Amino acid sequence: MTHAGPSRYDRRTVLQYAGLAGVVGLAGCTTEQSGGEDADAGDAGAEEPAPDVYRIGMVNSLTGSLADFGTYNERGVALALEDVNASGIGGVPLEIIVEDSESLPDAGVSAAQKLVNQDQVPLIIGAVGSGVSTSIYESVIRGTDVVQLSQNSTSASLTEYPGLLRMSPPGGPQVQVLADLIADDGVGSVAVAWVNNDFGQSQRDGFVDAWGGEVAYDSPHDQEQSSYASVVAEMANSGADAWVFLTYQEQTAAMLDDAYSNGYEAAFYGSDSAKGPSVLEGTPAGALEGMKTVEPSAAIDQANYQDFASRFESAYGEAPTSWSSFAYDCVITAALSIATADGFTGAALGGTVRDVTRSPGETVTTFSAAMDVISDGGDADAIDYDGVSGPIDFDANGDPVGSFQVFEVVDDAYVSRGTRTV
Amino acid sequence: MAVLEYLANGLVFSSIIVLASIGLSLVYSIARFANFAHGDTLTVGAYGAFVGFALIGDVGPTVLGLPGGFYIAVAVGAAVAAVVAVVTQRLVYDALEIGAIGLLITSIGVAFVYRALVILGFGTGSLRYAVPAQRPIPALVPIGVRITTQEVAIIVVATVLVIGLHLLLRFTLLGRMMRATADNADLAQVTGIRTAQITRWTWVIGAGLAGVGGVFLGLYNQVEPRMGFNILLVVFAAVILGGIGSVYGAMIGGFLIGMIDQLTPLLGDLGIPIGTEYSYAIAFVIMVLVLLVRPTGIAGGDPG
């Protein structure tokens, strides 16, 4: 590609902007028209670009090392769509085009490119892995009006992208809670095994900053190594009292399996990503006994969460994870921002997506309650959606507020040990 | 003390790499292309054994911490891998009239197909063989070696297979015909060897060994759809280090690469700030250094 000639990509981008500008212009017209009292209904109908269906995109980890999260998300999204499409957004149904990120940045970027360029969605829910989310933002979203709302990313690095919103609270406070928890358990020295990417690095940095004791082992490992025996051997030889896993389920399972067959004993701790059914299934019975993890907590004592949880249980036969509730709230937030925006464009949704989640406005906890307020002529500032995952309240950096729940493995099952805040 | 432990880990990991490397090198020696589907052949073997073990169950006496049924399942895994490889060879590689590069690229596609089929059948999650979980052999723990009897089984079976292959290649008619075909297929055919048949046997042995390697990799680590693909790069390094096309080279290369990989923590213990995340990088640097001195690899030029 030379700098002199206009490239094909440039032409396409220009066309896209032209199209977008046209749509925005059109939306502007409509607002102006309906702004004039008693505008002719027939005319307004002809101009209104309200589509038959609102299509938004989602990049999810259907396969790869975060596939557990992909399932959590699918379930949360299914329940949210049920709620939204019971009445629709002003009668128009919401549809979500889901693409797989394979839990990897390059595949995630391709998925997002397809959604933005081909399906032309104005809003993308995505992604799970923090590295995937930031790659999508940097390669696809930045410089466009498209709104990106990550469902599960917890890396501190997302805070540096104010344009990239997320439903799950950042990992900074989370690893701080983890460090406090380990200190409260009377542990003096820790071995920290972290996954060699954005997510692992930021969790490790946050943890080591918050941790007051000794760090006897502090090394990264790659995803999908064929053997973790040397990592485990080094952790054991470091003589640490506690092992902290700032990595994913698959790697945690492989390492704990090795630790068990090598007969190593230590207190195990982990971040949210080191917890999951695949860790229990991937290790011998009893290998995880006493392992404690910290994860962002849903609003477990709120009525809307309890309703969500009971519906979730009857649909899937198990209690929802926080991750499902984040995905649920992503969809509801997206639907509410569509309902309050004056056009189905990225620019219009970008203007409302934060405001529907925070004050001022009447506190609403369900989609239908929010729609009641909106249909009485309310705009984005008229509502403050408190979701099943918590109060949300997006700040200037696109981060929500949150609390954290502690789990402990007892008899090969995760048992809640209450919530903690920073 | 820790050195002994790393060596024990290295022995187990090397056993798996050696089994995988031999198959890759054997196929290269006859079919003359780098088979990128070889890694996924390991995966096929591992899943084949998973199904086999589920059907057979815990029959027979327990040998080295593994039920007799598991050893049958290992054979099932090897057989499934061999059948899949031979069917692929007949339907895909044989049918294509393209050169080594074309076959190489085709094999990448075949690898995707294998993996996709495994994911369709078993999902993307990881599985464990339903064998009893084990703790290290207590007698060895005081000297710093933490190894389970199942890991000993991996080393023993791999050693038996390597010796068996050596005997086959050196002392049987099939072995001589395989070596002749690998050396010069046209000359071998002129002397009356049915090279097509020999090629098929080579695929069976190569893929069968890969299947066993896959089962052991699954036993040692986890059974998951990308397991074989993830180890393929290391296996290629082992084969190239040993001299591609040479079976004995693959054995030496596999052993060295597996050992180097698991001995990486020694650097940290000696105060050299290179972590285990560089274990593959170190293995590759050593491979490059050896190739600089011996461009054909350790045993390159030996028709094996």
Side-chain angles (χ1 to χ4, degrees):
Chain A
M1 207 188 332
T2 62
H3 288 287
S7 73
R8 197 180 166 153
Y9 177 73
D10 285 338
R11 218 167 29 236
R12 185 191 283 177
T13 315
V14 169
L15 279 175
Q16 250 173 21
Y17 277 118
L20 206 62
V23 177
V24 173
L26 211 59
C29 282
T30 342
T31 327
E32 236 175 312
Q33 273 211 344
S34 47
E37 295 295 298
D38 298 320
D40 188 288
D43 264 359
E47 298 275 339
E48 192 115 90
D52 302 335
V53 56
Y54 289 118
R55 275 197 192 88
I56 61 171
M58 176 168 188
V59 180
N60 199 5
S61 288
L62 301 179
T63 58
S65 51
L66 300 173
D68 275 1
F69 291 86
T71 312
Y72 302 152
N73 284 317
E74 271 179 343
R75 295 172 169 184
V77 166
L79 289 180
L81 278 179
E82 232 171 65
D83 285 350
V84 171
N85 288 335
S87 63
I89 304 165
V92 179
L94 179 69
E95 185 186 309
I96 300 181
I97 306 169
V98 181
E99 295 289 331
D100 183 16
S101 70
E102 299 171 24
S103 310
L104 298 170
D106 47 350
V109 166
S110 315
Q113 265 161 352
K114 186 249 172 194
L115 289 169
V116 171
N117 296 334
Q118 203 174 315
D119 302 320
Q120 312 245 316
V121 298
L123 184 146
I124 287 183
I125 298 173
V128 178
S130 300
V132 184
S133 294
T134 49
S135 297
I136 289 176
Y137 184 75
E138 285 180 335
S139 318
V140 186
I141 305 296
R142 185 150 59 188
T144 70
D145 288 329
V146 178
V147 179
Q148 185 187 356
L149 172 54
S150 163
Q151 65 270 44
N152 292 162
S153 295
T154 55
S155 162
S157 61
L158 269 78
T159 303
E160 291 156 24
Y161 302 97
L164 168 49
L165 302 158
R166 60 162 137 200
M167 195 53 75
S168 46
Q174 186 192 342
V175 286
Q176 204 171 332
V177 167
L178 183 63
D180 291 349
L181 173 74
I182 299 172
D184 289 351
D185 286 351
V187 170
S189 73
V190 291
V192 186
W194 45 284
V195 62
N196 203 357
N197 64 16
D198 254 15
F199 166 76
Q201 178 83 53
S202 74
Q203 288 232 318
R204 177 259 166 213
D205 291 350
F207 180 83
V208 172
D209 281 349
W211 173 246
E214 188 202 345
V215 181
Y217 170 89
D218 173 18
S219 274
H221 54 263
D222 286 323
Q223 279 182 74
E224 311 197 315
Q225 278 178 217
S226 296
S227 158
Y228 290 95
S230 47
V231 177
V232 170
E234 281 207 307
M235 287 175 91
N237 292 335
S238 76
D241 306 328
W243 296 11
V244 184
F245 296 94
L246 304 176
T247 182
Y248 301 126
Q249 282 103 347
E250 220 171 275
Q251 287 70 37
T252 308
M255 286 187 237
L256 285 170
D257 188 22
D258 266 342
Y260 184 86
S261 65
N262 283 326
Y264 295 128
E265 308 278 351
F268 302 130
Y269 293 88
S271 60
D272 56 79
S273 58
K275 164 183 178 271
S278 63
V279 183
L280 289 173
E281 285 157 20
T283 48
L288 264 66
E289 199 62 22
M291 179 171 184
K292 286 183 184 168
T293 58
V294 170
E295 73 174 42
S297 168
I300 44 180
D301 20 76
Q302 262 174 222
N304 62 341
Y305 177 80
Q306 284 152 7
D307 178 50
F308 168 75
S310 69
R311 277 173 58 208
F312 192 98
E313 282 205 55
S314 62
Y316 304 111
E318 60 184 50
T321 58
S322 304
W323 311 104
S324 298
S325 69
F326 294 135
Y328 177 92
D329 279 343
C330 278
V331 176
I332 301 295
T333 304
L336 292 177
S337 67
I338 293 169
T340 50
D342 29 336
F344 188 54
T345 65
L349 298 185
T352 59
V353 67
R354 291 159 197 262
D355 291 335
V356 295
T357 68
R358 60 189 179 191
S359 56
E362 187 180 326
T363 302
V364 287
T365 58
T366 62
F367 177 74
S368 59
M371 288 308 285
D372 288 344
V373 177
I374 293 168
S375 59
D376 290 343
D379 62 1
D381 280 331
I383 52 170
D384 171 9
Y385 174 62
D386 280 3
V388 297
S389 69
I392 308 177
D393 296 345
F394 287 127
D395 66 12
N397 296 321
D399 291 339
V401 299
S403 67
F404 299 88
Q405 202 174 353
V406 177
F407 285 91
E408 182 175 350
V409 178
V410 178
D411 293 334
D412 291 299
Y414 290 104
V415 177
S416 175
R417 289 283 186 243
T419 55
R420 288 175 87 106
T421 47
V422 181
Chain B
M1 278 311 219
V3 181
L4 287 177
E5 186 188 340
Y6 302 148
L7 284 173
N9 283 340
L11 265 184
V12 182
F13 195 53
S14 293
S15 303
I16 295 164
I17 305 273
V18 165
L19 290 175
S21 304
I22 293 172
L24 188 63
S25 207
L26 260 184
V27 168
Y28 183 87
S29 73
I30 293 252
R32 293 282 159 203
F33 76 96
N35 180 17
F36 270 77
H38 192 72
D40 291 274
T41 309
L42 263 78
T43 313
V44 168
Y47 278 90
F50 187 83
V51 173
F53 190 50
L55 295 177
I56 299 162
D58 286 349
V59 296
T62 299
V63 182
L64 290 174
L66 291 166
F70 189 78
Y71 291 96
I72 304 173
V74 171
V76 171
V80 170
V83 168
V84 167
V86 168
V87 168
T88 312
Q89 185 240 340
R90 291 206 72 162
L91 291 184
V92 182
Y93 302 134
D94 259 9
L96 286 172
E97 299 274 328
I98 46 175
I101 297 295
L103 284 173
L104 184 156
I105 299 203
T106 308
S107 72
I108 296 176
V110 168
F112 280 120
V113 173
Y114 286 177
R115 205 177 319 151
L117 290 176
V118 166
I119 291 174
L120 277 179
F122 300 91
T124 55
S126 56
L127 304 169
R128 278 171 58 82
Y129 293 117
V131 293
Q134 283 199 313
R135 301 295 251 179
I137 301 169
L140 295 177
V141 172
I143 60 160
V145 175
R146 290 165 178 271
I147 189 168
T148 64
T149 46
Q150 287 171 1
E151 287 166 350
V152 172
I154 293 178
I155 299 171
V156 169
V157 173
T159 311
V160 167
L161 287 174
V162 164
I163 292 172
L165 180 69
H166 166 71
L167 296 177
L168 177 97
L169 285 175
R170 289 289 147 187
F171 301 108
T172 68
L173 186 60
L174 175 65
R176 275 200 290 276
M177 292 196 289
M178 281 172 66
R179 284 189 290 142
T181 310
D183 211 18
N184 189 324
D186 292 337
L187 264 185
Q189 198 163 16
V190 165
T191 57
I193 294 172
R194 291 183 182 149
T195 50
Q197 211 173 12
I198 297 304
T199 305
R200 198 152 303 140
W201 271 111
T202 310
W203 275 97
V204 166
I205 294 170
L209 290 175
V212 176
V215 182
F216 287 161
L217 182 60
L219 182 66
Y220 181 55
N221 202 0
Q222 286 171 310
V223 181
E224 53 112 7
R226 293 174 64 90
M227 58 188 282
F229 181 75
N230 290 336
I231 206 173
L232 183 64
L233 202 59
V234 194
V235 173
F236 263 114
V239 168
I240 291 168
L241 174 64
I244 190 153
S246 155
V247 170
Y248 296 102
M251 293 174 190
I252 300 166
F255 181 78
L256 287 178
I257 292 280
M259 275 294 179
I260 293 165
D261 183 75
Q262 295 294 324
L263 285 173
T264 312
L266 265 185
L267 293 174
D269 295 354
L270 294 173
I272 303 165
I274 297 178
T276 50
E277 70 271 27
Y278 293 106
S279 64
Y280 280 8
I282 291 166
F284 280 101
V285 166
I286 290 177
M287 181 191 89
V288 169
L289 291 178
V290 169
L291 291 182
L292 281 174
V293 180
R294 266 189 81 91
T296 51
I298 294 170
D302 168 18

